[in-house]
Amino acid sequence: MLRDFPLQVRIENTNLCNAFCTMCPREQLSRPRGTMDMPLYTRVVRELASGGIKELHLQGYGEPFIDKTIIEKIRLAKECAVPYTFMVTNASLLTESVCRELLDSGLDKLKISFYGLTKGEYESVHRGLSFEEVARNVEGLVRLKKKLGRKTPVISLKYIGKFSKFLLFTFRWGLKTQVSYARLHNYGYGRKFNDPKTNKKNRTCPIVTRPIMQVLWDGLVVPCCYDFDGRMVLGDLSRQSVREVWNGERYGRFREIHRKREYAKLSVCLHCDKLR
């Protein structure tokens, strides 16, 4: 039976980004762009903490460090005793001063998207970013963390692409920090990298079956991060509590459709390659 309160919540602190990476369908983003304000964030995080949340992910369809209040938001979560905090970044904005604040913020894990072994490969994927600059930022963060003797955040470089190249990527970065690998995905309805297996009858979603909530920067709640354009709104935390949304009628209907595997009723989910 599903809990009456989420254990993991993913808050999109901003959907603004300074890059146009090829795997992200940012050109299809039609919803408003902005950054979650502190009053809304504070209210939501305090409710999450009192409700017993275990994990808070602080990023969404944007680069989190564009948000000038991101360090304050991390600190608030830790002050509210959220056990585990996590972020994903492209590391392009990690200046030394930002790195020092980050290392003092209490963040538990930072995953860095770094898809490329060379300048040409990296910049063909992370359009708008500089390979040399980002590599220096990553090395600077790792070096400063060691110098200051910090255990957190755990830093992991994530590579997407051919596994054969990941072996070379591991050789380049593995002695400096953690590395991880992932395959390209469709970002829900945004890309067509993989066959979504729509003919398979018993597909299930690893997110819907777990107590995970996805919140957009303006407080709207959607099924998951793959609904990047916010097409299926399940609630609004600017007007409702977390508990009201999580146990609300719209969320209930959505879960029932998944339980019955009637995905044709959900255009956002039908062609998602995460349904397996």
Side-chain angles (χ1 to χ4, degrees), residues 115-176:
Y115 310 150
L117 288 166
T118 65
K119 176 180 176 65
E121 183 182 9
Y122 177 89
E123 293 183 3
S124 69
V125 174
H126 295 282
R127 294 176 179 172
L129 302 184
S130 164
F131 173 77
E132 294 91 349
E133 181 179 7
V134 174
R136 282 197 303 270
N137 289 351
V138 173
E139 291 170 342
L141 174 61
V142 172
R143 187 166 53 248
L144 184 61
K145 179 186 173 185
K146 183 177 180 179
K147 178 182 177 181
L148 297 177
R150 299 288 193 270
K151 293 184 178 180
T152 58
V154 173
I155 302 167
S156 177
L157 260 66
K158 182 180 179 182
Y159 180 83
I160 287 183
K162 294 181 179 180
F163 188 74
S164 59
K165 289 190 175 183
F166 176 62
L167 298 178
L168 295 174
F169 185 83
T170 301
F171 181 76
R172 166 69 174 83
W173 290 102
L175 294 178
K176 297 181 179 181

Short mmCIF file of all heavy atoms in Angstrom, two decimals, residues 115-176:
data_model
loop_
_atom_site.label_atom_id
_atom_site.label_comp_id
_atom_site.label_asym_id
_atom_site.label_seq_id
_atom_site.Cartn_x
_atom_site.Cartn_y
_atom_site.Cartn_z
N TYR A 115 29.30 14.93 -20.33
CA TYR A 115 29.22 13.95 -21.40
C TYR A 115 30.23 14.26 -22.50
O TYR A 115 29.92 14.98 -23.45
CB TYR A 115 27.80 13.91 -21.97
CG TYR A 115 26.72 13.77 -20.93
CD1 TYR A 115 25.45 14.30 -21.14
CD2 TYR A 115 26.95 13.11 -19.73
CE1 TYR A 115 24.45 14.17 -20.18
CE2 TYR A 115 25.97 12.98 -18.77
CZ TYR A 115 24.72 13.52 -19.00
OH TYR A 115 23.74 13.40 -18.04
N GLY A 116 31.44 13.75 -22.34
CA GLY A 116 32.43 13.97 -23.38
C GLY A 116 33.84 13.74 -22.87
O GLY A 116 34.16 14.04 -21.71
N LEU A 117 34.69 13.22 -23.73
CA LEU A 117 36.09 12.98 -23.39
C LEU A 117 37.00 14.08 -23.93
O LEU A 117 38.09 14.30 -23.41
CB LEU A 117 36.54 11.64 -23.97
CG LEU A 117 35.98 10.39 -23.27
CD1 LEU A 117 36.20 9.16 -24.12
CD2 LEU A 117 36.64 10.23 -21.91
N THR A 118 36.56 14.74 -25.00
CA THR A 118 37.35 15.78 -25.63
C THR A 118 36.53 17.05 -25.75
O THR A 118 35.30 17.03 -25.57
CB THR A 118 37.78 15.34 -27.04
OG1 THR A 118 36.60 15.20 -27.86
CG2 THR A 118 38.53 14.01 -27.01
N LYS A 119 37.20 18.14 -26.08
CA LYS A 119 36.52 19.41 -26.27
C LYS A 119 35.44 19.30 -27.34
O LYS A 119 34.31 19.75 -27.15
CB LYS A 119 37.54 20.49 -26.66
CG LYS A 119 36.94 21.86 -26.97
CD LYS A 119 38.02 22.85 -27.36
CE LYS A 119 37.46 24.19 -27.78
NZ LYS A 119 36.78 24.87 -26.68
N GLY A 120 35.77 18.68 -28.47
CA GLY A 120 34.81 18.56 -29.55
C GLY A 120 33.60 17.74 -29.17
O GLY A 120 32.46 18.14 -29.46
N GLU A 121 33.84 16.61 -28.51
CA GLU A 121 32.72 15.74 -28.12
C GLU A 121 31.86 16.42 -27.07
O GLU A 121 30.63 16.44 -27.18
CB GLU A 121 33.26 14.41 -27.58
CG GLU A 121 32.16 13.42 -27.21
CD GLU A 121 32.71 12.13 -26.62
OE1 GLU A 121 33.92 12.05 -26.33
OE2 GLU A 121 31.92 11.20 -26.44
N TYR A 122 32.50 17.00 -26.05
CA TYR A 122 31.76 17.64 -24.97
C TYR A 122 30.93 18.81 -25.48
O TYR A 122 29.73 18.91 -25.18
CB TYR A 122 32.73 18.13 -23.89
CG TYR A 122 32.07 18.87 -22.75
CD1 TYR A 122 31.60 18.19 -21.63
CD2 TYR A 122 31.89 20.26 -22.81
CE1 TYR A 122 30.98 18.88 -20.60
CE2 TYR A 122 31.27 20.94 -21.78
CZ TYR A 122 30.82 20.25 -20.68
OH TYR A 122 30.18 20.92 -19.66
N GLU A 123 31.52 19.69 -26.24
CA GLU A 123 30.81 20.90 -26.67
C GLU A 123 29.79 20.63 -27.76
O GLU A 123 28.89 21.45 -27.97
CB GLU A 123 31.83 21.95 -27.11
CG GLU A 123 32.67 22.46 -25.95
CD GLU A 123 33.65 23.55 -26.32
OE1 GLU A 123 33.66 23.98 -27.50
OE2 GLU A 123 34.42 23.98 -25.43
N SER A 124 29.88 19.48 -28.43
CA SER A 124 28.83 19.10 -29.39
C SER A 124 27.57 18.63 -28.67
O SER A 124 26.47 18.67 -29.23
CB SER A 124 29.33 18.00 -30.33
OG SER A 124 29.49 16.76 -29.64
N VAL A 125 27.73 18.20 -27.41
CA VAL A 125 26.59 17.77 -26.58
C VAL A 125 26.12 18.91 -25.69
O VAL A 125 24.95 19.29 -25.71
CB VAL A 125 26.97 16.54 -25.73
CG1 VAL A 125 25.83 16.18 -24.77
CG2 VAL A 125 27.32 15.35 -26.61
N HIS A 126 27.03 19.47 -24.91
CA HIS A 126 26.71 20.57 -23.98
C HIS A 126 26.88 21.90 -24.72
O HIS A 126 27.84 22.66 -24.47
CB HIS A 126 27.62 20.53 -22.77
CG HIS A 126 27.46 19.32 -21.90
ND1 HIS A 126 26.42 19.17 -21.01
CD2 HIS A 126 28.20 18.18 -21.82
CE1 HIS A 126 26.54 18.01 -20.38
NE2 HIS A 126 27.61 17.39 -20.86
N ARG A 127 25.97 22.18 -25.61
CA ARG A 127 26.08 23.39 -26.43
C ARG A 127 25.95 24.65 -25.57
O ARG A 127 25.03 24.78 -24.78
CB ARG A 127 25.03 23.37 -27.52
CG ARG A 127 25.24 22.24 -28.53
CD ARG A 127 24.13 22.16 -29.55
NE ARG A 127 24.38 21.08 -30.50
CZ ARG A 127 23.49 20.69 -31.42
NH1 ARG A 127 22.31 21.30 -31.51
NH2 ARG A 127 23.79 19.70 -32.24
N GLY A 128 26.91 25.54 -25.76
CA GLY A 128 26.92 26.78 -24.99
C GLY A 128 27.89 26.76 -23.82
O GLY A 128 28.10 27.80 -23.19
N LEU A 129 28.47 25.60 -23.52
CA LEU A 129 29.42 25.49 -22.41
C LEU A 129 30.83 25.28 -22.94
O LEU A 129 31.02 24.85 -24.08
CB LEU A 129 29.03 24.34 -21.48
CG LEU A 129 27.64 24.40 -20.85
CD1 LEU A 129 27.45 23.25 -19.88
CD2 LEU A 129 27.37 25.74 -20.18
N SER A 130 31.80 25.55 -22.09
CA SER A 130 33.21 25.40 -22.45
C SER A 130 33.79 24.16 -21.76
O SER A 130 33.75 24.05 -20.52
CB SER A 130 34.00 26.63 -22.03
OG SER A 130 35.38 26.38 -22.01
N PHE A 131 34.35 23.27 -22.53
CA PHE A 131 34.96 22.05 -22.00
C PHE A 131 36.05 22.38 -20.99
O PHE A 131 36.08 21.83 -19.88
CB PHE A 131 35.54 21.23 -23.16
CG PHE A 131 36.32 20.02 -22.74
CD1 PHE A 131 35.69 18.87 -22.30
CD2 PHE A 131 37.72 20.04 -22.78
CE1 PHE A 131 36.41 17.75 -21.92
CE2 PHE A 131 38.45 18.93 -22.39
CZ PHE A 131 37.80 17.78 -21.96
N GLU A 132 36.96 23.27 -21.35
CA GLU A 132 38.08 23.59 -20.48
C GLU A 132 37.61 24.22 -19.17
O GLU A 132 38.10 23.89 -18.08
CB GLU A 132 39.05 24.55 -21.18
CG GLU A 132 39.76 23.95 -22.38
CD GLU A 132 39.01 24.19 -23.69
OE1 GLU A 132 37.84 24.63 -23.62
OE2 GLU A 132 39.59 23.93 -24.75
N GLU A 133 36.66 25.14 -19.27
CA GLU A 133 36.16 25.84 -18.08
C GLU A 133 35.47 24.88 -17.12
O GLU A 133 35.72 24.91 -15.90
CB GLU A 133 35.20 26.95 -18.49
CG GLU A 133 34.66 27.75 -17.32
CD GLU A 133 33.72 28.86 -17.76
OE1 GLU A 133 33.38 28.93 -18.96
OE2 GLU A 133 33.34 29.67 -16.89
N VAL A 134 34.62 24.02 -17.65
CA VAL A 134 33.89 23.09 -16.79
C VAL A 134 34.84 22.07 -16.17
O VAL A 134 34.72 21.73 -14.99
CB VAL A 134 32.76 22.40 -17.56
CG1 VAL A 134 32.09 21.33 -16.70
CG2 VAL A 134 31.72 23.43 -18.01
N ALA A 135 35.80 21.58 -16.95
CA ALA A 135 36.78 20.64 -16.40
C ALA A 135 37.56 21.28 -15.26
O ALA A 135 37.81 20.65 -14.22
CB ALA A 135 37.72 20.16 -17.50
N ARG A 136 37.95 22.55 -15.42
CA ARG A 136 38.65 23.26 -14.34
C ARG A 136 37.77 23.40 -13.11
O ARG A 136 38.24 23.26 -11.98
CB ARG A 136 39.08 24.65 -14.82
CG ARG A 136 40.32 24.67 -15.71
CD ARG A 136 40.90 26.08 -15.80
NE ARG A 136 39.94 27.05 -16.28
CZ ARG A 136 39.77 27.36 -17.57
NH1 ARG A 136 40.50 26.75 -18.50
NH2 ARG A 136 38.89 28.28 -17.92
N ASN A 137 36.48 23.69 -13.33
CA ASN A 137 35.55 23.82 -12.20
C ASN A 137 35.43 22.51 -11.42
O ASN A 137 35.43 22.50 -10.18
CB ASN A 137 34.17 24.25 -12.69
CG ASN A 137 34.13 25.68 -13.17
OD1 ASN A 137 35.08 26.44 -12.99
ND2 ASN A 137 33.02 26.07 -13.78
N VAL A 138 35.31 21.41 -12.14
CA VAL A 138 35.18 20.10 -11.50
C VAL A 138 36.45 19.78 -10.71
O VAL A 138 36.39 19.38 -9.54
CB VAL A 138 34.91 19.00 -12.54
CG1 VAL A 138 34.95 17.61 -11.87
CG2 VAL A 138 33.56 19.22 -13.22
N GLU A 139 37.60 19.95 -11.34
CA GLU A 139 38.86 19.67 -10.67
C GLU A 139 39.06 20.59 -9.47
O GLU A 139 39.57 20.17 -8.42
CB GLU A 139 40.01 19.82 -11.66
CG GLU A 139 40.02 18.72 -12.72
CD GLU A 139 41.00 18.97 -13.84
OE1 GLU A 139 41.44 20.14 -14.00
OE2 GLU A 139 41.31 18.01 -14.57
N GLY A 140 38.63 21.85 -9.60
CA GLY A 140 38.75 22.79 -8.50
C GLY A 140 37.89 22.40 -7.31
O GLY A 140 38.31 22.50 -6.15
N LEU A 141 36.66 21.95 -7.58
CA LEU A 141 35.76 21.52 -6.51
C LEU A 141 36.33 20.30 -5.79
O LEU A 141 36.34 20.25 -4.56
CB LEU A 141 34.38 21.20 -7.09
CG LEU A 141 33.37 20.60 -6.11
CD1 LEU A 141 33.08 21.58 -4.96
CD2 LEU A 141 32.07 20.24 -6.84
N VAL A 142 36.80 19.33 -6.55
CA VAL A 142 37.36 18.12 -5.95
C VAL A 142 38.59 18.45 -5.11
O VAL A 142 38.76 17.95 -3.99
CB VAL A 142 37.72 17.10 -7.06
CG1 VAL A 142 38.48 15.91 -6.47
CG2 VAL A 142 36.46 16.62 -7.77
N ARG A 143 39.43 19.31 -5.63
CA ARG A 143 40.66 19.69 -4.93
C ARG A 143 40.34 20.47 -3.64
O ARG A 143 40.94 20.22 -2.59
CB ARG A 143 41.52 20.55 -5.86
CG ARG A 143 42.90 20.88 -5.33
CD ARG A 143 43.81 21.42 -6.42
NE ARG A 143 43.20 22.55 -7.14
CZ ARG A 143 42.81 22.49 -8.42
NH1 ARG A 143 42.93 21.38 -9.12
NH2 ARG A 143 42.29 23.57 -9.00
N LEU A 144 39.37 21.39 -3.72
CA LEU A 144 39.00 22.18 -2.54
C LEU A 144 38.35 21.31 -1.47
O LEU A 144 38.60 21.49 -0.28
CB LEU A 144 38.05 23.31 -2.96
CG LEU A 144 37.65 24.30 -1.86
CD1 LEU A 144 38.88 25.02 -1.30
CD2 LEU A 144 36.64 25.32 -2.42
N LYS A 145 37.53 20.38 -1.90
CA LYS A 145 36.89 19.46 -0.95
C LYS A 145 37.95 18.68 -0.16
O LYS A 145 37.86 18.53 1.06
CB LYS A 145 35.96 18.50 -1.69
CG LYS A 145 35.27 17.50 -0.78
CD LYS A 145 34.48 16.47 -1.57
CE LYS A 145 33.95 15.38 -0.65
NZ LYS A 145 33.27 14.30 -1.40
N LYS A 146 38.96 18.20 -0.88
CA LYS A 146 40.04 17.45 -0.22
C LYS A 146 40.84 18.35 0.70
O LYS A 146 41.17 17.97 1.84
CB LYS A 146 40.95 16.84 -1.29
CG LYS A 146 42.06 15.98 -0.72
CD LYS A 146 42.89 15.36 -1.84
CE LYS A 146 44.00 14.48 -1.27
NZ LYS A 146 44.81 13.85 -2.34
N LYS A 147 41.13 19.57 0.25
CA LYS A 147 41.91 20.51 1.06
C LYS A 147 41.21 20.86 2.36
O LYS A 147 41.84 20.95 3.43
CB LYS A 147 42.16 21.79 0.25
CG LYS A 147 42.92 22.87 1.00
CD LYS A 147 43.09 24.11 0.13
CE LYS A 147 43.80 25.22 0.89
NZ LYS A 147 43.94 26.45 0.04
N LEU A 148 39.88 21.05 2.30
CA LEU A 148 39.10 21.42 3.47
C LEU A 148 38.71 20.22 4.32
O LEU A 148 38.13 20.38 5.41
CB LEU A 148 37.85 22.19 3.05
CG LEU A 148 38.08 23.53 2.33
CD1 LEU A 148 36.75 24.14 1.90
CD2 LEU A 148 38.86 24.50 3.21
N GLY A 149 38.97 19.02 3.83
CA GLY A 149 38.65 17.82 4.59
C GLY A 149 37.17 17.53 4.71
O GLY A 149 36.73 16.94 5.70
N ARG A 150 36.41 17.90 3.70
CA ARG A 150 34.96 17.67 3.74
C ARG A 150 34.61 16.27 3.24
O ARG A 150 35.19 15.78 2.26
CB ARG A 150 34.23 18.69 2.87
CG ARG A 150 34.41 20.13 3.28
CD ARG A 150 33.66 20.44 4.57
NE ARG A 150 33.59 21.87 4.80
CZ ARG A 150 34.49 22.58 5.47
NH1 ARG A 150 35.54 21.96 5.99
NH2 ARG A 150 34.36 23.88 5.62
N LYS A 151 33.66 15.63 3.89
CA LYS A 151 33.19 14.33 3.45
C LYS A 151 32.03 14.46 2.47
O LYS A 151 31.77 13.56 1.66
CB LYS A 151 32.76 13.49 4.65
CG LYS A 151 33.91 13.09 5.56
CD LYS A 151 33.42 12.18 6.69
CE LYS A 151 34.59 11.74 7.56
NZ LYS A 151 34.13 10.85 8.67
N THR A 152 31.32 15.57 2.57
CA THR A 152 30.18 15.82 1.68
C THR A 152 30.33 17.18 1.02
O THR A 152 31.00 18.07 1.57
CB THR A 152 28.85 15.77 2.45
OG1 THR A 152 28.87 16.74 3.50
CG2 THR A 152 28.59 14.38 3.01
N PRO A 153 29.70 17.36 -0.15
CA PRO A 153 28.89 16.36 -0.83
C PRO A 153 29.74 15.30 -1.53
O PRO A 153 30.86 15.59 -1.98
CB PRO A 153 28.12 17.19 -1.86
CG PRO A 153 29.04 18.32 -2.19
CD PRO A 153 29.72 18.65 -0.88
N VAL A 154 29.20 14.11 -1.63
CA VAL A 154 29.80 13.10 -2.50
C VAL A 154 29.67 13.63 -3.92
O VAL A 154 28.61 14.09 -4.33
CB VAL A 154 29.06 11.75 -2.36
CG1 VAL A 154 29.57 10.75 -3.39
CG2 VAL A 154 29.23 11.21 -0.95
N ILE A 155 30.76 13.60 -4.67
CA ILE A 155 30.77 14.14 -6.03
C ILE A 155 30.86 13.00 -7.03
O ILE A 155 31.74 12.14 -6.91
CB ILE A 155 31.95 15.11 -6.23
CG1 ILE A 155 31.87 16.26 -5.22
CG2 ILE A 155 31.98 15.65 -7.65
CD1 ILE A 155 33.14 17.08 -5.12
N SER A 156 29.97 12.99 -8.00
CA SER A 156 29.96 11.94 -9.01
C SER A 156 29.80 12.55 -10.38
O SER A 156 28.91 13.37 -10.61
CB SER A 156 28.80 10.95 -8.75
OG SER A 156 28.73 9.98 -9.76
N LEU A 157 30.69 12.17 -11.30
CA LEU A 157 30.59 12.62 -12.70
C LEU A 157 29.80 11.57 -13.48
O LEU A 157 30.14 10.38 -13.48
CB LEU A 157 31.98 12.78 -13.32
CG LEU A 157 32.50 14.22 -13.39
CD1 LEU A 157 32.72 14.75 -12.00
CD2 LEU A 157 33.77 14.30 -14.22
N LYS A 158 28.76 12.04 -14.16
CA LYS A 158 27.91 11.13 -14.91
C LYS A 158 28.17 11.26 -16.40
O LYS A 158 28.18 12.37 -16.95
CB LYS A 158 26.44 11.43 -14.62
CG LYS A 158 25.46 10.50 -15.32
CD LYS A 158 24.03 10.88 -14.96
CE LYS A 158 23.02 9.98 -15.64
NZ LYS A 158 21.64 10.39 -15.33
N TYR A 159 28.36 10.11 -17.05
CA TYR A 159 28.61 10.07 -18.49
C TYR A 159 27.47 9.34 -19.19
O TYR A 159 27.05 8.26 -18.75
CB TYR A 159 29.94 9.37 -18.78
CG TYR A 159 30.27 9.29 -20.25
CD1 TYR A 159 30.87 10.35 -20.90
CD2 TYR A 159 29.97 8.15 -21.00
CE1 TYR A 159 31.18 10.30 -22.26
CE2 TYR A 159 30.27 8.07 -22.35
CZ TYR A 159 30.88 9.15 -22.98
OH TYR A 159 31.17 9.09 -24.31
N ILE A 160 26.97 9.91 -20.27
CA ILE A 160 25.97 9.24 -21.10
C ILE A 160 26.57 9.08 -22.49
O ILE A 160 27.13 10.02 -23.06
CB ILE A 160 24.67 10.05 -21.19
CG1 ILE A 160 23.90 9.95 -19.87
CG2 ILE A 160 23.78 9.52 -22.32
CD1 ILE A 160 22.56 10.66 -19.88
N GLY A 161 26.44 7.90 -23.04
CA GLY A 161 26.97 7.65 -24.38
C GLY A 161 27.33 6.19 -24.54
O GLY A 161 26.74 5.31 -23.91
N LYS A 162 28.31 5.91 -25.38
CA LYS A 162 28.72 4.53 -25.62
C LYS A 162 29.53 4.02 -24.43
O LYS A 162 30.39 4.70 -23.90
CB LYS A 162 29.57 4.45 -26.89
CG LYS A 162 28.79 4.77 -28.16
CD LYS A 162 29.67 4.64 -29.39
CE LYS A 162 28.89 4.93 -30.65
NZ LYS A 162 29.73 4.82 -31.87
N PHE A 163 29.23 2.78 -24.04
CA PHE A 163 29.89 2.23 -22.86
C PHE A 163 31.39 2.10 -23.09
O PHE A 163 32.18 2.23 -22.15
CB PHE A 163 29.30 0.86 -22.50
CG PHE A 163 29.81 0.33 -21.19
CD1 PHE A 163 29.38 0.86 -20.00
CD2 PHE A 163 30.76 -0.69 -21.17
CE1 PHE A 163 29.87 0.39 -18.79
CE2 PHE A 163 31.26 -1.17 -19.96
CZ PHE A 163 30.81 -0.63 -18.77
N SER A 164 31.81 1.84 -24.33
CA SER A 164 33.23 1.73 -24.62
C SER A 164 33.97 3.02 -24.30
O SER A 164 35.11 3.01 -23.81
CB SER A 164 33.45 1.36 -26.09
OG SER A 164 32.87 2.35 -26.94
N LYS A 165 33.30 4.16 -24.52
CA LYS A 165 33.91 5.45 -24.19
C LYS A 165 33.87 5.72 -22.69
O LYS A 165 34.70 6.47 -22.16
CB LYS A 165 33.23 6.56 -24.96
CG LYS A 165 33.53 6.55 -26.45
CD LYS A 165 33.03 7.81 -27.13
CE LYS A 165 33.45 7.84 -28.59
NZ LYS A 165 33.05 9.10 -29.27
N PHE A 166 32.92 5.12 -22.01
CA PHE A 166 32.85 5.30 -20.55
C PHE A 166 34.09 4.71 -19.89
O PHE A 166 34.55 5.22 -18.86
CB PHE A 166 31.59 4.65 -19.99
CG PHE A 166 31.50 4.70 -18.50
CD1 PHE A 166 31.45 5.92 -17.82
CD2 PHE A 166 31.48 3.53 -17.75
CE1 PHE A 166 31.38 5.96 -16.43
CE2 PHE A 166 31.41 3.57 -16.36
CZ PHE A 166 31.36 4.79 -15.70
N LEU A 167 34.63 3.65 -20.46
CA LEU A 167 35.85 3.06 -19.90
C LEU A 167 36.99 4.08 -19.95
O LEU A 167 37.77 4.22 -19.00
CB LEU A 167 36.22 1.79 -20.65
CG LEU A 167 35.19 0.66 -20.58
CD1 LEU A 167 35.64 -0.53 -21.41
CD2 LEU A 167 34.94 0.24 -19.13
N LEU A 168 37.08 4.83 -21.06
CA LEU A 168 38.09 5.88 -21.18
C LEU A 168 37.78 7.04 -20.24
O LEU A 168 38.68 7.65 -19.66
CB LEU A 168 38.15 6.37 -22.63
CG LEU A 168 38.63 5.35 -23.67
CD1 LEU A 168 38.50 5.92 -25.07
CD2 LEU A 168 40.06 4.92 -23.39
N PHE A 169 36.50 7.33 -20.09
CA PHE A 169 36.05 8.38 -19.18
C PHE A 169 36.46 8.03 -17.74
O PHE A 169 36.94 8.89 -16.99
CB PHE A 169 34.53 8.52 -19.27
CG PHE A 169 33.94 9.64 -18.46
CD1 PHE A 169 33.92 10.94 -18.94
CD2 PHE A 169 33.40 9.39 -17.21
CE1 PHE A 169 33.36 11.97 -18.20
CE2 PHE A 169 32.84 10.42 -16.47
CZ PHE A 169 32.82 11.70 -16.97
N THR A 170 36.29 6.77 -17.38
CA THR A 170 36.68 6.30 -16.04
C THR A 170 38.18 6.45 -15.83
O THR A 170 38.64 6.85 -14.75
CB THR A 170 36.26 4.84 -15.85
OG1 THR A 170 34.84 4.72 -16.02
CG2 THR A 170 36.63 4.33 -14.47
N PHE A 171 38.95 6.14 -16.86
CA PHE A 171 40.40 6.29 -16.78
C PHE A 171 40.78 7.76 -16.58
O PHE A 171 41.72 8.07 -15.83
CB PHE A 171 41.04 5.74 -18.06
CG PHE A 171 42.54 5.82 -18.07
CD1 PHE A 171 43.31 4.92 -17.33
CD2 PHE A 171 43.19 6.81 -18.80
CE1 PHE A 171 44.70 5.00 -17.33
CE2 PHE A 171 44.58 6.90 -18.80
CZ PHE A 171 45.33 5.99 -18.06
N ARG A 172 40.02 8.67 -17.21
CA ARG A 172 40.32 10.11 -17.12
C ARG A 172 39.95 10.68 -15.76
O ARG A 172 40.67 11.50 -15.19
CB ARG A 172 39.56 10.85 -18.22
CG ARG A 172 39.48 12.37 -18.09
CD ARG A 172 40.82 13.05 -18.29
NE ARG A 172 40.71 14.50 -18.30
CZ ARG A 172 40.67 15.27 -17.22
NH1 ARG A 172 40.73 14.71 -16.02
NH2 ARG A 172 40.57 16.58 -17.31
N TRP A 173 38.78 10.26 -15.20
CA TRP A 173 38.25 10.91 -14.01
C TRP A 173 38.17 10.01 -12.77
O TRP A 173 38.01 10.50 -11.66
CB TRP A 173 36.84 11.45 -14.29
CG TRP A 173 36.82 12.61 -15.21
CD1 TRP A 173 36.50 12.61 -16.54
CD2 TRP A 173 37.14 13.97 -14.89
NE1 TRP A 173 36.58 13.87 -17.08
CE2 TRP A 173 36.98 14.74 -16.08
CE3 TRP A 173 37.54 14.62 -13.73
CZ2 TRP A 173 37.20 16.11 -16.13
CZ3 TRP A 173 37.76 15.99 -13.77
CH2 TRP A 173 37.60 16.71 -14.96
N GLY A 174 38.25 8.71 -12.96
CA GLY A 174 37.96 7.78 -11.86
C GLY A 174 38.88 7.87 -10.66
O GLY A 174 38.48 7.53 -9.54
N LEU A 175 40.13 8.32 -10.87
CA LEU A 175 41.04 8.45 -9.73
C LEU A 175 40.82 9.75 -8.96
O LEU A 175 41.34 9.93 -7.86
CB LEU A 175 42.49 8.37 -10.22
CG LEU A 175 42.93 7.01 -10.80
CD1 LEU A 175 44.36 7.09 -11.29
CD2 LEU A 175 42.76 5.91 -9.77
N LYS A 176 40.04 10.66 -9.55
CA LYS A 176 39.80 11.96 -8.92
C LYS A 176 38.49 11.99 -8.14
O LYS A 176 38.38 12.63 -7.10
CB LYS A 176 39.80 13.07 -9.97
CG LYS A 176 41.14 13.22 -10.67
CD LYS A 176 41.11 14.34 -11.70
CE LYS A 176 42.48 14.49 -12.37
NZ LYS A 176 42.51 15.57 -13.36
#
